[in-house]
Amino acid sequence: MSIIFDEENKLFYIHTKSTTYVLGFMHEYLVHCYWGKSIKKLPCTDFAVPHKSRSQSPYNPEHPECQNDNLPMEYPTFGSSDLRSPAFHVIYADGTSVSDFCYVSHEITAGKPKLEGLPCIRASEDGGETLKICLADEKTGLTLSLLYSVLNDKDIITRSVEVENRGTNDVRIDRILSASVDIYGMDFDFVTLHGTSIRERSVQKNPLFFGSQTIDSKRGYSGHRLNPFACLASKNATETSGEVYAMNFVYSGNFLAGADVDPFKMTRFYMGINPFDFEWKLCPGEKFVSPEVVMVYSDEGYGKMSRTFHDAYRENLCRSKFALKPRPVLINNWETTAMDFDEEKIVDIAKKAAEIGVELMVLDDGWFGNRNSDNCSLGDWYADTNKLPSGLSGLAKKINALGLEFGLWFEPEMVSPDSDLYRMHPDWCIHVPGRIRSEGRNQLILDFANEEVCDYITDAVSKILCEANISYVKWDMNRNMSETGSSALGSDRQRETAHRYMLGLYRVLETLTTQFPDILFESCASGGGRFDAGMLYYMPQVWTSDNSDAGQRMKIQYGTSFAYPASSMGAHVSAVPNHQVFRTTPFKTRCDVAMNGQFGFELDLAKISDEELKLAKEGIEKYKSLRDTVHFGDMYRLMSPFDGNDSVIEYISKDKKQVVVFRGNTLAEPYGAYKFAKLCALEPDAVYEDCEKGISMTGEALMNVGIAFMSPKDFESEIYVFEKK
Ligand code: DGJ
């Protein structure tokens, strides 16, 4: 059994493969007792008793030991003496916001329920277990159900919260976090992924301090700037050692994550929907379910944390039938033609691509309405027959005849003010009447909080997908949400808009991905602006960044790998000088870097040299031989581009027969010393051979001596492919 209730000591034990999470009681309140390496029994629960000297803290007169302000609380709410940041805050009909949520009941069930309307980790009936603890505020009839699930073969715990109004009056929820854990100690770094467009997900580590440290998004989507991932890592944590407590949000909208340290060195670590500008009216009989947080504990540093997320996301999050399948090598026309193309140009690109082994031709922005620049036509989802005289189906047939699959770009959540759709429905965009409708890239956001809009768009996209033989969709989204408001909602529900937008989007995605299970969907948001577990549920790969410069990509992909597997990262070879950073890197390096993700091209094959074309062809062949290991094996980060010039990543297949090592450097080191990349997880006595390079070494040597290299030239790279003999 994975979840056990110890009746005698009144403790809940939540066990994963190698970790344990324990919670217990202080009278009727739930307190957090332990999260860490597997233990069968907690030695004592004394540490959940507040220190007597902290007597200023308020307490329940009936139970003076309930000094909740000093206790490690399991799900802190406002009104029962805990004055630190609550996970839940609600305003009742009488205007007050004091609650007192006490334990009522619990149940442990097989499997893992689906969260209604939300993406979440999946488990079969016999693949996991769920603990539901019900708390209630007896004065108002509001109940909170805390949900914890574990999977038999994974090291993750998922958490979410369900609120039900069993009272007789409406209430307004203005803060509902999905997970909050009080951990003793503050000797941790708060590790998060920050960035911006074309510089996504750099790793930052900041020591905890007394007070609060938070990351968030208020942009209506998860965004480029901060990813909904955070971990607390012991100060000495490395890739292979140290304790790491991580949370990642299965949600693509506004989020908040933080670490608050109190004066007694207790750290409250939390994650959930951003309370900023959020409110939810809950009428009697209604329920609200919070999105899910995936929690991982690792006692072997960042590496094990990442591998745990990768396994769970590939196998239990992505619901696409492509999740565990090799994906096609693609070519995308965007950086070659932008919107200036016609059928002939696209077919020419596809012909050249077919010659070198590309498997999928993707037609990007510009195929619909009158879209010749980015100032019109979003929302008018019909093919431009000036550019495509035989329509999408005619083009798809020509591409298919070359032996390639055909893929198409959409930006379904947007509308251009210059579009038939906007002229017909000017109130179908996110806006506040009488206020400016600020444009981003000349476009407005469609109001997905409005069911009618969602149905219209689902229908429009579905018609196109039925019209031609389309095997792949790139689902783009290119602006922040501003002037957030919905004409479909009353004045009492305007602050629900951003979350309802996400629920609407998830409903559209659920419908389309169910209706078209044979289409591979890739998500995109000006590159990697919505790289989160919520989108991964529907679409198993994401366009990682609009920056394909090999040097910058080493960092972007390295940072992204903290939570997300290589199988989820779209990575293409693009032209030089790179159009984002104006840097010229060798063709081979661009290929090698892109092989760390879903490999593709985003350049004009007609304009590259014969030598480069040969490298592209060889690159595709090589990639096809190693993609299973890179995407579905175990990843070990050996050298970080955030620590120096080198990036080294090892991937080892689950059956341990193939080992792929990528090594790349940025600037050369004149007369530099040898460096050694020491591999991990090999069999010491087995012999590993890289035939192409003529290297044959034992596992022991590769792990202890390592692969020796120097970096005498700027932006060089190497890929080693070892087969176990
Ligand atoms: C932003 C994406 O990130 C690009 O790859 C491209 O699809 C453009 N949008 C098209 O408008």
Side-chain angles (χ1 to χ4, degrees):
M1 277 267 274
S2 337
I3 303 182
I4 297 161
F5 181 54
D6 170 357
E7 214 40 87
E8 191 190 337
N9 299 298
K10 299 269 178 283
L11 291 171
F12 294 99
Y13 285 86
I14 301 172
H15 297 293
T16 72
K17 230 171 36 170
S18 62
T19 74
T20 301
Y21 186 99
V22 186
L23 45 132
F25 290 92
M26 173 59 72
H27 291 280
E28 311 309 354
Y29 297 111
L30 275 186
V31 290
H32 177 73
C33 302
Y34 175 77
W35 182 19
K37 221 171 158 164
S38 287
I39 51 162
K40 288 195 185 61
K41 221 161 176 48
L42 208 63
C44 70
T45 52
D46 286 357
F47 51 80
V49 176
H51 197 281
K52 289 192 183 56
S53 63
R54 301 173 199 165
S55 55
Q56 272 181 328
S57 286
Y59 59 90
N60 179 338
E62 279 173 36
H63 305 297
E65 57 284 29
C66 287
Q67 287 182 18
N68 293 347
D69 201 21
N70 293 322
L71 288 172
M73 302 303 287
E74 182 55 25
Y75 191 72
T77 56
F78 180 71
S80 45
S81 311
D82 183 351
L83 301 175
R84 295 163 293 177
S85 297
F88 185 74
H89 187 246
V90 64
I91 300 154
Y92 295 105
D94 63 3
T96 64
S97 56
V98 167
S99 306
D100 194 11
F101 285 97
C102 295
Y103 171 84
V104 176
S105 63
H106 74 266
E107 59 175 2
I108 297 169
T109 50
K112 179 176 185 302
K114 183 163 170 11
L115 297 186
E116 215 187 305
L118 288 165
C120 61
I121 293 282
R122 296 164 297 115
S124 60
E125 186 70 13
D126 56 0
E129 266 185 342
T130 297
L131 166 66
K132 182 172 181 170
I133 305 178
C134 184
L135 314 174
D137 179 56
E138 64 168 29
K139 294 258 180 299
T140 57
L142 205 62
T143 66
L144 288 179
S145 295
L146 310 186
L147 295 167
Y148 302 81
S149 295
V150 288
L151 311 186
N152 296 347
D153 58 343
K154 299 286 175 341
D155 257 335
I156 61 165
I157 299 175
T158 63
R159 278 184 72 173
S160 78
V161 182
E162 201 178 275
V163 195
E164 191 177 345
N165 187 351
R166 297 187 188 165
T168 49
N169 294 309
D170 297 349
V171 302
R172 285 177 289 138
I173 303 165
D174 70 357
R175 184 177 176 98
I176 175 161
L177 303 183
S178 299
S180 177
V181 186
D182 286 347
I183 298 173
Y184 277 100
M186 65 177 289
D187 283 337
F188 297 108
D189 286 324
F190 186 53
V191 182
T192 55
L193 304 172
H194 74 96
T196 178
S197 165
I198 72 166
R199 184 168 42 79
E200 291 92 336
R201 288 170 294 284
S202 293
V203 181
Q204 65 171 340
K205 303 179 182 175
N206 295 301
L208 291 187
F209 48 78
F210 292 109
S212 301
Q213 213 176 136
T214 61
I215 56 159
D216 78 347
S217 166
K218 305 183 188 75
R219 314 183 153 258
Y221 68 127
S222 47
H224 297 87
R225 298 189 175 197
L226 290 155
N227 194 264
F229 158 87
C231 67
L232 298 182
S234 53
K235 292 240 183 261
N236 57 356
T238 66
E239 279 297 320
T240 51
S241 66
E243 287 195 297
V244 182
Y245 300 87
M247 290 193 192
N248 195 22
F249 209 14
V250 190
Y251 188 59
S252 318
N254 293 333
F255 72 92
L256 171 73
D260 299 359
V261 183
D262 78 5
F264 312 107
K265 298 189 178 174
M266 195 192 294
T267 303
R268 175 160 291 175
F269 182 31
Y270 51 87
M271 183 172 272
I273 292 178
N274 197 339
F276 176 81
D277 203 31
F278 166 82
E279 193 175 79
W280 195 273
K281 178 171 159 185
L282 201 67
C283 302
E286 285 182 349
K287 274 188 192 170
F288 178 91
V289 185
S290 81
E292 188 164 271
V293 166
V294 179
M295 307 201 312
V296 170
Y297 166 81
S298 160
D299 62 327
E300 290 171 31
Y302 300 108
K304 185 174 171 193
M305 168 199 76
S306 298
R307 288 188 292 281
T308 306
F309 278 121
H310 297 176
D311 281 342
Y313 287 178
R314 287 183 300 225
E315 290 163 36
N316 300 89
L317 177 70
C318 299
R319 70 196 265 282
S320 158
K321 75 172 208 191
F322 298 95
L324 295 170
K325 284 197 178 152
R327 321 271 168 77
V329 175
L330 67 80
I331 185 153
N332 180 307
N333 70 307
W334 178 246
E335 293 186 20
T336 304
T337 66
M339 295 177 203
D340 179 20
F341 61 81
D342 56 18
E343 186 182 281
E344 205 185 323
K345 265 196 198 173
I346 300 301
V347 173
D348 280 350
I349 293 175
K351 268 188 198 145
K352 202 89 190 145
E355 281 165 23
I356 59 165
V358 169
E359 298 160 311
L360 165 70
M361 169 78 223
V362 178
L363 177 58
D364 210 281
D365 195 352
W367 58 266
F368 52 94
N370 300 310
R371 182 100 165 154
N372 293 310
S373 80
D374 64 15
N375 62 8
C376 71
S377 299
L378 290 169
D380 296 345
W381 298 111
Y382 52 84
D384 177 354
T385 43
N386 292 322
K387 287 181 185 169
L388 308 175
S390 53
L392 287 168
S393 72
L395 174 61
K397 277 188 196 131
K398 288 185 183 156
I399 303 282
N400 291 162
L402 296 168
L404 266 70
E405 292 180 295
F406 177 59
L408 197 61
W409 178 97
F410 286 91
E411 197 177 358
E413 296 157 69
M414 300 290 150
V415 64
S416 309
D418 181 5
S419 67
D420 294 342
L421 183 64
Y422 188 74
R423 281 183 282 273
M424 243 170 358
H425 296 288
D427 59 338
W428 271 15
C429 63
I430 294 283
H431 73 285
V432 172
R435 300 262 174 209
I436 191 174
R437 298 180 180 199
S438 51
E439 294 175 18
R441 207 194 187 202
N442 308 307
Q443 63 200 50
L444 298 165
I445 304 187
L446 279 173
D447 180 5
F448 273 38
N450 180 345
E451 287 188 12
E452 211 188 337
V453 176
C454 293
D455 292 343
Y456 176 88
I457 286 298
T458 307
D459 209 45
V461 174
S462 163
K463 274 198 187 113
I464 294 284
L465 298 183
C466 291
E467 184 181 312
N469 188 21
I470 294 168
S471 318
Y472 160 105
V473 165
K474 177 174 174 186
W475 185 290
D476 204 350
M477 198 285 279
N478 287 302
R479 62 159 291 181
N480 298 303
M481 192 182 282
S482 54
E483 301 95 40
T484 306
S486 166
S487 57
L489 301 173
S491 55
D492 52 343
R493 292 195 180 272
Q494 286 302 311
R495 291 175 71 189
E496 297 176 10
T497 305
H499 182 58
R500 283 190 185 271
Y501 177 93
M502 286 320 309
L503 296 178
L505 173 61
Y506 289 148
R507 189 166 68 82
V508 171
L509 292 175
E510 181 80 30
T511 310
L512 288 172
T513 53
T514 306
Q515 191 188 345
F516 299 99
D518 297 333
I519 293 182
L520 167 62
F521 284 80
E522 172 159 346
S523 106
C524 173
S526 303
R530 204 161 55 180
F531 207 127
D532 58 61
M535 294 314 278
L536 277 184
Y537 177 82
Y538 304 98
M539 317 201 201
Q541 60 191 66
V542 186
W543 179 224
T544 314
S545 174
D546 270 346
N547 190 347
S548 293
D549 166 64
Q552 193 61 38
R553 268 291 179 129
M554 286 186 223
K555 284 189 169 168
I556 294 172
Q557 292 169 188
Y558 189 97
T560 305
S561 78
F562 262 53
Y564 312 102
S567 60
S568 65
M569 297 184 215
H572 301 169
V573 179
S574 63
V576 288
N578 176 271
H579 73 288
Q580 305 288 11
V581 294
F582 314 106
R583 184 184 284 143
T584 296
T585 53
F587 193 86
K588 178 178 176 298
T589 306
R590 281 175 273 152
C591 283
D592 287 354
V593 171
M595 283 191 213
N596 287 263
Q598 294 293 350
F599 191 61
F601 294 87
E602 193 113 4
L603 46 65
D604 192 346
L605 293 173
K607 288 206 180 120
I608 61 176
S609 67
D610 288 349
E611 173 59 18
E612 288 175 331
L613 207 57
K614 188 169 161 270
L615 283 174
K617 191 167 183 213
E618 286 166 5
I620 293 173
E621 273 160 28
K622 184 163 193 170
Y623 171 72
K624 286 178 182 169
S625 76
L626 55 75
R627 66 180 155 189
D628 277 1
T629 300
V630 170
H631 296 155
F632 310 121
D634 289 325
M635 183 214 65
Y636 291 82
R637 288 177 296 253
L638 306 182
M639 284 188 195
S640 167
F642 292 98
D643 293 342
N645 268 346
D646 302 292
S647 176
V648 186
I649 303 185
E650 170 192 342
Y651 306 89
I652 176 163
S653 61
K654 290 281 179 190
D655 64 8
K656 303 220 176 243
K657 288 191 176 147
Q658 191 182 56
V659 184
V660 177
V661 182
F662 162 81
R663 165 199 100 61
N665 63 268
T666 51
L667 298 184
E669 275 187 303
Y671 286 153
Y674 265 115
K675 285 167 251 183
F676 296 85
K678 297 182 183 178
L679 306 198
C680 296
L682 307 184
E683 284 172 33
D685 297 330
V687 174
Y688 295 84
E689 194 174 335
D690 180 335
C691 293
E692 193 191 292
K693 298 197 171 43
I695 306 173
S696 179
M697 279 167 90
T698 59
E700 185 185 61
L702 282 167
M703 290 193 291
N704 296 317
V705 183
I707 300 173
F709 67 91
M710 285 205 265
S711 19
K713 286 194 188 150
D714 287 355
F715 300 104
E716 271 202 324
S717 67
E718 209 53 76
I719 289 196
Y720 303 80
V721 184
F722 292 102
E723 306 290 342
K724 194 178 102 182
K725 294 285 118 199

